Every structure is written in structure tokens, then in C-alpha cells.
Amino acid sequence: MRSDLMKKGVEKAPHRSLFKAMGYTQSELDRPLIGVVNSANEIIPGHIHLDKIAEGVKAGIRQAGGTPIEFSTIGVCDGIAMNHAGMRYSLASRELIADSVEIMAMAHPFDALVLIPNCDKIIPGMLMAALRLNIPSILVSGGPMLAGHVGGKPVDLISVFEGVGALKANQITAAELEELEDKACPGCGSCAGMFTANSMNCLSEALGLALPGNGTIPAVTAARVRLAKAAGVRIMDLVARDVKPRDIATQKAFENAISVDMALGCSTNTVLHVPAMAHEAGIELDLDTFNRISARTPHLCSLRPAGPHFLENLDSAGGVQAVMKELSRRGLIHLDAITATGLKVGDNLKAARVTDPEVIRPLENPYHEEGGIAVLYGNIAPEGAVVKQSAVAPEMLRRTGNARVFESENEAATAILDGKINPGDVVVVRYEGPKGGPGMQEMLTPTAAIIGLGLGRDVALLTDGRFSGGSAGAAIGHISPEAAVGGPIALIKEGDQIHIDIPNKKIDLLVDAAVLEERRKAWTPPEPRVKTGCLARYARLVTSGSHGAILTDK
């Protein structure tokens, strides 16, 4: 066993003594030692209850003959970090989480890991570590939040963000916004729509590194605790058979995950996280892979923020496994990929079925013929830009508009909420990329304000930053190269014409190439916004959003 490095032999008597100082018995030390990576804290609604999930995991490990040993990681709540300097730290936390898990599992050589995240960067950070370490691992999340209700209608966190814009537009009262604030998030769990956290939890299931149900079983249910116990039991089988993450997360498995991504209409952040995870597995996924799979994969689920359904509806309709079974009817899923269940995908899907054909539509009646995400190219984004096309109003799929240029998210959000953006404008927010931000801030406040003000069918927003999974509308992010390294987005001027053609995967600045070259000669790089601390280090090491914003050691 790997843990023998710290517990076996005469020379490890001091090590065993330290274990016994914590109350471990010799019998417990003789068993496989399983690291339980728990990101519980009291600042993220999706993590406030993870102590209960960890208890379930540990019970399953003990039941199957192992000894669980729990340790923690950090976590950032993107909703609370939104629209202030804290958001710059969110994406950077992904790398810190991966590194911290690696450090703990190398300093203390566990035989396996059970990963317990629930939100945004924590999920991919833990999976990156598991793929990097390549010791038996399984992920079990805390599950999605239930929808709230106001006036008999379901609501969620995005309803509150959009409510701010609606208040500014005098469409609702302050009392109505306060009621929304009080009722939109009724309890623990990752926010109730197909935002980044739930996107990544669903994709971890599709990838095979989490058990069926991981992406959709609600946080507050007993079924979620049972899933945690099952994960604890399953990790012991993975140890016994020496099944490692890279045995599961193969090229076929990543293609399955991207197919599910497209069918569900997941967050654009998946286009950052999935390539970063693949990189740790030694698999290169370029942006064209997403377009190729999107072109052949219909969009079957219309989930918040793009549609009316919530994660609890998807769970009741059959969950991720039912979506995969529907996709398999057209050969869009690799059925021979192995999973953490110990079975192949095809075996897992035998019991799956769709129970609500409106929540999970059949292949013959999709919400859209193409998948939820598209990668656009053009003279603004030679290396690509990403849009959740399933959340774009039909009127905005093709649009030419006037550029309104802002040098930061805060400037743009203020202008939008102050009524300075007009129908037909294309809001450009730059110097918010991985290096320039630094940290590639999410733009939920400005996109939600645009929707809340009733401009979702009239205004587009472009950025070298990124969007929350809760963003809807013509929100085009990850524009690469970013402004801070001299990307073409840095050359746009107020009033320039920008042409967007999402069906044809195009985004272009309608300015003569010679004029752009003159602007390039006059451009100078800005002073770094952050010059000390972990963000300054991150800005030096981070790569383009088109490569998953991974870190380079060069």
C-alpha cells in the first residue's frame, strides 16, 4: 500500500507514534488510509453542510474496511466575491486548491482520496489534483440547492442579481427586491441552476470520476447522504483493483463530458476547467474540440439561466445518466469508457430513463440542434472567444453594434446601472483577462443588470474576462489573446462597429486592418493592477484563457 511509506517497518515507529497521538489504533493503521478532502466552510452556501457529507463518506470507508483521514482546502464563493476585488482571486484559487491537495497527498501518502467539493473552482481544482497525483480517487459533491419561491414562482440567486437591474429600471419596488433577497436561496447547496458549480458536478459524473446522481441529487435530501456513503464504499473497491483517475478520465471520457456539457447547456466556465483537467491527465483539448462536439450534439435541457428548469427538475427527470442514455441513441456517448462505479458507461446506463420529456427532450425534439456552447473566432479573437449560445435571444445571434469601451468590469457595471447603455450597443470590457485582471473576473453583475433592465435582446457584452454560469444573453467571454498582452480587444475604440455572427462562429471588428496596425503601434501595455502577493505571482505564470488559464512554470 502507498501508505506503507509512512506507517510500515521498524523505522516508521516514530510516524506511528504520531498517529497514535491522535487516537488512531494499530488496527486502523493496518487498513488502507483514505484521505477525505473536505472543503467545508462557513462562507459558501454550497459548503456549509459538507461536514455531513464527509461523515457519510467516512462511514462508507469504515464499512468497506478502510480508515478515513480528513483534511481541508480553501474555497471561494463566487456570488459573494462578485463585483469587487475579491473576484480576482476566484480563478486563481483553483490552482491553489489543486496544489494544496497535491501537497497533502504527497506529504502524507494516502492510499486513495475521496474529494468533497461543491462549488465553482473547488471542483476542478480537486479533480486537477487527483489527475495529477493519479492515485485512486472519487468525487462526491454536496449537491444543488433547491429553488426558492416568490409569488408561487421559482427563483434563484440570478433572480436577485437581475432584480437589482429591475429595481433600477423601476420595474420592481425595493420591498419586492428584499423579498426576493430573502427567498431566492432557501438553504444549503450549490446555486439552483445550471451555473458553474452544478455544471462541473454534472460533468464529473459524465467523466466517470463521480457516481451517478452526483450532479443532480439535491443537497438537502437523504439520497445525497446515501451517495456519500456509497462513494466511501466505492473508493475501497478502486483501491483493491488499483483503478486510478487517468484510467477513467481518458480521451473518450472527456468527449463524453463535453457531449453532456453541450446537451445540458452548461456554463462557459467549463471551457476553462475541462481543458485544465485534461491537461493534468496528459490529454490536450483545444477549443475546436468543443465546436466539433457542439455541432453534432443537440441541446436537450433548458435549465436556468437560459430556461425555466432547475437542477431539482433535472434530477426528477432522470438526471445526467438519462441525458447520456438519450445521447447514446445517436452514438454520441462512448459506452465502453470505464467509471468509478466499477462498470462501463453502457452498463451504468441500462437502468437510466427519461421521466419528463420536457426537461430532458428527445433527440428528435431538442431545444436547439447544436450544443449549448460555441467558440467564436475573428479579428477580435484570433485564438477564440466563448459564448453560451443556448442562452442568447434569437435576435442577438447575429448583430452589428456600436462599441462602448470600458477598462474594467466596475466601470461597465456602473454605466449599465446608471442607464448609459442603449439598445444596439456592444459593451466591451477589457483588461480583465487572466493576466490583466488579474484573475479573469466573472461578469455576472453587468450581464444580470442588462437582463434586469430589459436589454437582453438589444445589448451584447464582450470581454477578455469570463462570465458566471448564471449569465444569460449575448455574453461573449474568454476573448483571446487578452488585452493585457496586446490582443486585438485592446485596439477597439468607442463607436467602432462590431459584428457578431454566432451561428457561423464569427466575431469581427469592422475596422480596416491598416487602421488597426496604426493603433497597435500606438498601444502600450498597462501597469499591472496587482504587484504583490499571490495574484501578482499568478499573473506572471498564468496562460491564456484559450488554454484553460493553466499555469506555466516557464
Side-chain angles (χ1 to χ4, degrees):
M1 291 189 291
R2 186 172 181 266
S3 62
D4 287 347
L5 293 169
M6 61 178 170
K7 70 180 186 182
K8 191 171 183 179
V10 173
E11 68 279 7
K12 296 302 190 295
H15 305 62
R16 292 192 296 274
S17 181
L18 291 169
F19 275 102
K20 290 175 181 178
M22 294 179 280
Y24 291 97
T25 66
Q26 187 58 49
S27 175
E28 287 177 302
L29 296 179
D30 289 339
R31 301 169 192 159
L33 303 185
I34 311 301
V36 177
V37 191
N38 186 2
S39 55
N41 60 45
E42 296 181 352
I43 192 66
I44 307 177
H47 291 226
I48 191 72
H49 66 305
L50 292 188
D51 55 336
K52 303 297 189 297
I53 302 300
E55 287 304 316
V57 166
K58 291 189 284 187
I61 292 170
R62 292 189 183 102
Q63 176 186 329
T67 297
I69 300 177
E70 184 178 342
F71 64 91
S72 62
T73 73
I74 65 165
V76 171
C77 178
D78 281 20
I80 294 173
M82 195 71 63
N83 197 31
H84 60 83
M87 179 47 68
R88 293 176 180 166
Y89 290 82
S90 175
L91 185 58
S93 74
R94 184 188 73 180
E95 316 308 316
L96 184 55
I97 290 163
D99 289 350
S100 68
V101 176
E102 177 193 359
I103 288 168
M104 289 296 288
M106 292 303 294
H108 318 100
F110 301 109
D111 296 301
L113 297 174
V114 180
L115 312 166
I116 309 176
N118 207 29
C119 292
D120 297 313
K121 311 314 147 312
I122 301 98
I123 304 156
M126 287 192 182
L127 287 174
M128 287 165 66
L131 290 162
R132 184 186 303 171
L133 290 161
N134 203 33
I135 61 174
S137 301
I138 192 169
L139 182 143
V140 57
S141 74
M145 186 185 293
L146 296 176
H149 289 84
V150 173
K153 295 181 179 180
V155 293
D156 57 26
L157 176 68
I158 306 310
S159 307
V160 188
F161 273 97
E162 292 174 357
V164 175
L167 178 68
K168 293 278 188 178
N170 296 315
Q171 296 173 3
I172 64 173
T173 66
E176 288 173 318
L177 179 60
E178 184 176 359
E179 182 183 17
L180 196 56
E181 173 187 328
D182 289 343
K183 296 180 178 179
C185 300
C188 66
S190 47
C191 297
M194 190 52 77
F195 315 140
T196 304
N198 290 325
S199 295
M200 293 309 303
N201 280 327
C202 287
L203 296 194
S204 65
E205 180 180 336
L207 189 62
L209 289 172
L211 296 179
N214 181 73
T216 60
I217 295 173
V220 295
T221 60
R224 177 58 61 175
V225 177
R226 294 196 298 271
L227 185 73
K229 292 179 179 178
V233 171
R234 287 305 313 157
I235 193 62
M236 297 306 297
D237 181 64
L238 296 177
V239 170
R241 296 189 296 113
D242 196 31
V243 177
K244 300 181 177 72
R246 293 186 202 173
D247 299 325
I248 295 172
T250 62
Q251 179 76 36
K252 288 182 178 180
F254 276 102
E255 290 183 5
N256 283 350
I258 297 172
S259 294
V260 170
D261 188 347
M262 298 305 164
L264 291 176
C266 289
S267 164
T268 53
N269 280 317
T270 62
V271 184
L272 285 175
H273 299 323
V274 172
M277 290 156 48
H279 175 76
E280 298 290 355
I283 296 169
E284 294 302 317
L285 291 179
D286 59 24
L287 293 184
D288 289 335
T289 303
F290 287 83
N291 268 352
R292 174 173 55 82
I293 294 177
S294 180
R296 72 188 189 205
T297 308
H299 175 221
L300 303 181
C301 303
S302 187
L303 298 155
R304 288 280 292 162
H309 301 131
F310 296 80
L311 263 290
E312 62 199 80
N313 305 127
L314 178 59
D315 187 63
S316 297
V320 171
Q321 300 297 302
V323 173
M324 294 178 75
K325 188 164 188 175
E326 187 63 23
L327 293 174
S328 72
R329 294 202 297 113
R330 193 177 288 177
L332 298 173
I333 294 293
H334 298 289
L335 299 177
D336 58 342
I338 68 170
T339 73
T341 64
L343 302 173
K344 294 181 179 179
V345 169
D347 297 319
N348 291 339
L349 297 186
K350 287 178 181 177
R353 65 189 182 96
V354 176
T355 61
D356 187 334
E358 185 60 21
V359 176
I360 303 173
R361 285 193 175 181
L363 292 167
E364 296 78 15
N365 182 36
Y367 284 96
H368 300 94
E369 292 294 337
E370 285 194 8
I373 291 174
V375 179
L376 314 182
Y377 294 94
N379 66 353
I380 293 177
E383 295 178 6
V386 181
V387 63
K388 184 189 274 195
Q389 60 181 347
S390 59
V392 179
E395 301 93 321
M396 294 299 296
L397 290 171
R398 291 185 175 89
R399 176 62 62 104
T400 300
N402 300 313
R404 301 294 307 280
V405 182
F406 301 92
E407 311 301 322
S408 72
E409 184 215 4
N410 287 341
E411 289 181 21
T414 299
I416 294 165
L417 290 169
D418 286 349
K420 296 179 180 178
I421 301 301
N422 302 308
D425 286 346
V426 177
V427 177
V428 177
V429 186
R430 61 191 180 194
Y431 297 105
E432 291 289 9
K435 287 184 178 294
M440 210 175 186
Q441 293 194 81
E442 288 186 345
M443 305 286 166
L444 180 54
T445 297
T447 58
I450 287 170
I451 300 297
L453 288 164
L455 295 172
R457 297 177 181 272
D458 298 293
V459 171
L461 195 154
L462 318 182
T463 182
D464 52 5
R466 60 194 177 94
F467 295 106
S468 163
S471 291
I476 301 169
H478 306 197
I479 290 177
S480 301
E482 63 175 290
V485 298
I489 188 174
L491 309 180
I492 301 173
K493 290 192 174 183
E494 188 84 4
D496 284 349
Q497 291 276 291
I498 293 174
H499 180 64
I500 299 166
D501 185 349
I502 293 173
N504 288 307
K505 313 296 187 288
K506 292 285 188 181
I507 181 167
D508 285 300
L509 180 63
L510 303 183
V511 173
D512 187 83
V515 174
L516 289 179
E517 185 57 33
E518 287 301 311
R519 292 182 186 178
R520 181 174 301 283
K521 291 176 182 177
W523 177 82
T524 56
E527 280 288 310
R529 286 177 173 155
V530 180
K531 298 181 181 180
T532 60
C534 66
L535 271 186
R537 182 168 63 251
Y538 178 83
R540 290 194 298 271
L541 298 176
V542 71
T543 61
S544 168
S546 62
H547 297 112
I550 60 174
L551 301 187
T552 177
D553 55 7
K554 295 180 180 178

